[in-house]
């Protein structure tokens, strides 16, 4: 599925489930995406199995937390009508042109 379709779907579901009944600002949305990354880290620390698992029919695991990060970012992108697909393609094109390790960076 194309990224912009995932953005539309993620934002639509968030609206339907009441997450936009009250307007939310970008700093809050970034913090929520960050919290999903923290949950992924905790999941990894507890269980280094990176695959999808189910607990009481609910998807769980490291990979699910990464999916949650993307869903949060897609929802934010939907709210603010960001063309994330174009931004990703442009950034990948730029990264392809960069020097090895960006000229010697360590991280």
């Amino acid at each position: 599925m194309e990224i912009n379709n995932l953005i539309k779907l993620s934002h639509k579901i968030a609206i339907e489930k009441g997450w936009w009944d009250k307007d939310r600002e970008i700093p809050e949305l970034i913090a929520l995406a960050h919290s999903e990354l923290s949950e992924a880290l905790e999941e990894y620390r507890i269980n280094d199995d990176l695959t999808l698992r189910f607990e009481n029919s609910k998807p769980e695991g490291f990979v699910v937390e990464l999916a949650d990060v993307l869903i949060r970012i897609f929802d934010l992108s939907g709210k603010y009508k960001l063309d994330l697909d174009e931004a990703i393609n442009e950034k990948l094109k730029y990264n392809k042109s960069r020097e090895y390790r960006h000229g010697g960076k360590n991280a």
Side-chain angles (χ1 to χ4, degrees):
M1 188 181 279
E2 184 181 285
I3 287 175
N4 286 332
N5 289 334
L6 290 169
I7 288 170
K8 288 176 190 168
L9 180 60
S10 297
H11 188 56
K12 179 179 183 277
I13 291 170
I15 291 168
E16 289 172 354
K17 299 302 175 182
W19 295 112
W20 287 101
D21 288 351
K22 181 181 124 191
D23 207 30
R24 295 153 70 189
E25 300 294 323
I26 288 176
E28 176 186 357
L29 299 170
I30 290 172
L32 289 168
H34 183 272
S35 72
E36 299 296 351
L37 277 175
S38 295
E39 289 176 17
L41 177 58
E42 282 306 304
E43 187 66 40
Y44 177 75
R45 286 178 174 162
I46 293 167
N47 182 2
D48 64 0
D49 177 6
L50 304 180
T51 61
L52 172 69
R53 68 176 191 282
F54 291 88
E55 293 178 12
N56 299 318
S57 300
K58 180 183 176 197
E60 297 283 356
F62 178 80
V63 69
V64 172
E65 298 304 337
L66 292 182
D68 283 343
V69 173
L70 293 174
I71 290 167
R72 293 281 189 184
I73 291 169
F74 294 160
D75 181 33
L76 181 158
S77 298
K79 169 64 177 174
Y80 292 98
K81 298 179 179 23
L82 305 176
D83 189 343
L84 195 56
D85 188 60
E86 178 185 29
I88 289 170
N89 286 319
E90 289 300 322
K91 183 61 177 179
L92 287 172
K93 188 169 34 171
Y94 174 74
N95 285 350
K96 192 174 179 180
S97 74
R98 295 179 90 165
E99 293 180 50
Y100 181 78
R101 295 189 68 100
H102 302 181
K105 290 185 178 179
N106 291 323

